[in-house]
Amino acid sequence: MKKEFLESKHGYAIPCHNCWDGQDRVLIVCHGFGSSKSSPMVQALNQEMPRHGMGVYSFDFPSHGDSPVWQEGLRVPFCLDDLAAVEDHIRAMAPNARIGYFGSSFGAYITLLHLSRGKAAGRRAFLRSAAVSMPRLVDTWVDDRARADLDRQGYFVPAYDYVREMRITRDFLGDLEAHDVFARYQTGLAQLFMVHGGRDDVAPTADAVRFARQFGAELLVLPNGEHNLMGEGELEQVLEHAAAFFREM
């Protein structure tokens, strides 16, 4: 695995991990909210997917992981532009490589928005614990304390133990409100495979079911799975289904 830094169109460096050794298929991995390119899920993909002839390329969203920016960079358009920059970099290195997307939670949300732009190079996306109702989920964090912090300092910090402190601004909340995947995504943009936990208390299973039915995505629900899908045998199932899904790419 190589550490790389790509230039964002917004003037900062995008930290990346390149686990791709010239295979003709490569997965762009989008991590979840508050996570990073070094998450256990991404590390598992780095180890497993090359065994199936696929490379893996992951990166940190702004304000996540090793990103040099803080709340000023946590914007949905910035996340989309950084994903596009990673894709452009891969296409420049290997124009004929087949690209797929693996998105977890918030990363799945961004992946769907990327596909919705209609310019994505890939046509297959594997969505793990997809936060398809991300705007509504974050809205539940905005209580009286959060509103007071927004007024006082311009951001609030959710009461959750993320990898690094997550600072939510009004601009980010506005971005989420303006980027509803149910309104923006269109059937046929890509082949989608969703895997979700039946006990997911972060991204409700009912929302994943509604999205899958509306847009024709294949959906696998692991009955006892929680949001991270790291229960007994669950990681293995995710990897197995992802390998099979992208093998047809």
Side-chain angles (χ1 to χ4, degrees), residues 22-99:
Q23 298 98 326
D24 63 358
R25 289 172 292 176
V26 57
L27 310 183
I28 299 177
V29 180
C30 296
H31 62 74
F33 191 81
S35 187
S36 78
K37 64 184 182 311
S38 299
S39 73
M41 185 70 249
V42 182
Q43 292 182 51
L45 290 168
N46 288 342
Q47 291 187 7
E48 183 66 19
M49 292 301 107
R51 298 174 184 169
H52 300 275
M54 307 171 203
V56 177
Y57 202 101
S58 56
F59 67 102
D60 285 327
F61 283 127
S63 192
H64 288 74
D66 296 319
S67 171
V69 296
W70 282 86
Q71 66 269 20
E72 70 277 6
L74 184 54
R75 302 292 306 275
V76 169
F78 286 28
C79 294
L80 287 168
D81 289 342
D82 288 2
L83 172 52
V86 169
E87 183 171 285
D88 288 346
H89 177 64
I90 290 173
R91 294 176 74 179
M93 289 191 295
N96 295 322
R98 288 166 283 173
I99 293 174

Side-chain angles (χ1 to χ4, degrees), residues 11-229:
Y12 53 81
I14 306 170
C16 305
H17 282 169
N18 183 347
C19 189
W20 177 32
D21 192 25
Q23 298 98 326
D24 63 358
R25 289 172 292 176
V26 57
L27 310 183
I28 299 177
V29 180
C30 296
H31 62 74
F33 191 81
S35 187
S36 78
K37 64 184 182 311
S38 299
S39 73
M41 185 70 249
V42 182
Q43 292 182 51
L45 290 168
N46 288 342
Q47 291 187 7
E48 183 66 19
M49 292 301 107
R51 298 174 184 169
H52 300 275
M54 307 171 203
V56 177
Y57 202 101
S58 56
F59 67 102
D60 285 327
F61 283 127
S63 192
H64 288 74
D66 296 319
S67 171
V69 296
W70 282 86
Q71 66 269 20
E72 70 277 6
L74 184 54
R75 302 292 306 275
V76 169
F78 286 28
C79 294
L80 287 168
D81 289 342
D82 288 2
L83 172 52
V86 169
E87 183 171 285
D88 288 346
H89 177 64
I90 290 173
R91 294 176 74 179
M93 289 191 295
N96 295 322
R98 288 166 283 173
I99 293 174
Y101 310 97
F102 185 108
S104 293
S105 193
F106 174 72
Y109 165 76
I110 294 295
T111 297
L112 289 168
L113 292 174
H114 176 65
L115 292 166
S116 300
R117 285 178 158 183
K119 299 179 181 179
R123 291 293 179 269
R124 277 182 176 255
F126 189 98
L127 311 174
R128 167 181 170 262
S129 303
V132 290
S133 296
M134 188 72 191
R136 181 165 55 83
L137 301 182
V138 174
D139 189 56
T140 64
W141 300 346
V142 186
D143 55 14
D144 290 342
R145 178 193 63 82
R147 280 186 283 270
D149 287 346
L150 283 168
D151 291 338
R152 178 174 57 86
Q153 62 189 13
Y155 67 86
F156 72 91
V157 178
Y160 191 85
D161 187 22
Y162 289 115
V163 172
R164 65 186 264 189
E165 184 178 270
M166 300 304 300
R167 299 174 179 178
I168 309 299
T169 64
R170 284 194 172 90
D171 286 338
F172 182 61
L173 294 173
D175 288 345
L176 293 175
E177 185 177 352
H179 291 81
D180 179 354
V181 295
F182 282 93
R184 288 177 175 254
Y185 192 77
Q186 297 178 30
T187 302
L189 288 173
Q191 190 165 351
L192 306 177
F193 188 103
M194 305 174 71
V195 59
H196 217 90
R199 296 183 177 179
D200 192 329
D201 61 357
V202 176
T205 310
D207 291 342
V209 171
R210 179 165 67 96
F211 184 91
R213 288 175 177 168
Q214 183 170 336
F215 297 106
E218 185 174 357
L219 172 64
L220 170 66
V221 176
L222 304 183
N224 296 317
E226 299 180 357
H227 187 61
N228 64 2
L229 290 179

